Amino acid sequence: MLGDELGTITGEMTGMRVLSTDGGHAVVETSFRGTSTLLGTDMKDMGTYESVSRPDGTLFGEGHGVSMTRAGDTVTWHGSGVGRFTESGGVSWRGALFYETASTEFTRLNGIAALFEFETEESGKVSGTLYEWK
């Protein structure tokens, strides 16, 4: 069941590169950075994910990243999701993240799965929302 909102992110893609085109399936690496709120705390974020084109036109992606508070607390994540191209030239992603942190402020995240809605625009802007999966 979809639970409480954990946070939001806005930012921009900072780089893209093609890793492979074997078998006619492009594998693209995308990096992004942004600002977010996570459990009500302001964060700076960066992450990288690889997306693989699939025969039906959708994408499968896997990535990892880090969020950091001004005080230096860090939260890392690994995740995966499925993307669909939008009419405006971006990609709409849905998936799950799994966190790891030693920070007492964010220790709750170690034991949950977070579901995400993540949108990219052709211009490079990104935005997303995270929810606890109960």
Side-chain angles (χ1 to χ4, degrees), residues 7-15 30-38 41-49 64-70 73 75 77 118-119 124-128 130:
T8 60
I9 183 171
T10 59
E12 63 185 352
M13 290 184 271
T14 57
T30 304
S31 294
F32 66 91
R33 69 173 175 222
T35 57
S36 68
T37 58
L38 188 58
T41 302
D42 292 335
M43 311 285 279
K44 295 282 187 183
D45 301 275
M46 67 177 119
T48 300
Y49 60 92
H64 52 272
V66 62
S67 301
M68 185 178 297
T69 68
R70 290 180 189 230
D73 288 337
V75 178
W77 58 264
F118 193 75
E119 309 294 329
K125 293 182 189 279
V126 301
S127 61
L130 297 161

Side-chain angles (χ1 to χ4, degrees), residues 10-131:
T10 59
E12 63 185 352
M13 290 184 271
T14 57
M16 293 178 75
R17 67 183 183 138
V18 177
L19 299 178
S20 173
T21 58
D22 292 342
H25 302 284
V27 179
V28 176
E29 178 186 82
T30 304
S31 294
F32 66 91
R33 69 173 175 222
T35 57
S36 68
T37 58
L38 188 58
L39 299 180
T41 302
D42 292 335
M43 311 285 279
K44 295 282 187 183
D45 301 275
M46 67 177 119
T48 300
Y49 60 92
E50 291 181 14
S51 57
V52 179
S53 62
R54 302 192 305 182
D56 66 354
T58 62
L59 300 170
F60 174 76
E62 293 184 295
H64 52 272
V66 62
S67 301
M68 185 178 297
T69 68
R70 290 180 189 230
D73 288 337
T74 60
V75 178
T76 61
W77 58 264
H78 297 273
S80 59
V82 175
R84 298 185 182 282
F85 288 98
T86 63
E87 288 184 19
S88 61
V91 178
S92 182
W93 291 94
R94 301 295 182 268
L97 299 181
F98 305 94
Y99 293 102
E100 186 173 348
T101 184
S103 168
T104 56
E105 183 176 355
F106 299 102
T107 192
R108 166 183 169 206
L109 298 174
N110 287 330
I112 67 168
L115 300 181
F116 65 81
E117 300 173 336
F118 193 75
E119 309 294 329
T120 68
E121 298 178 14
E122 186 175 24
S123 67
K125 293 182 189 279
V126 301
S127 61
T129 306
L130 297 161
Y131 302 92

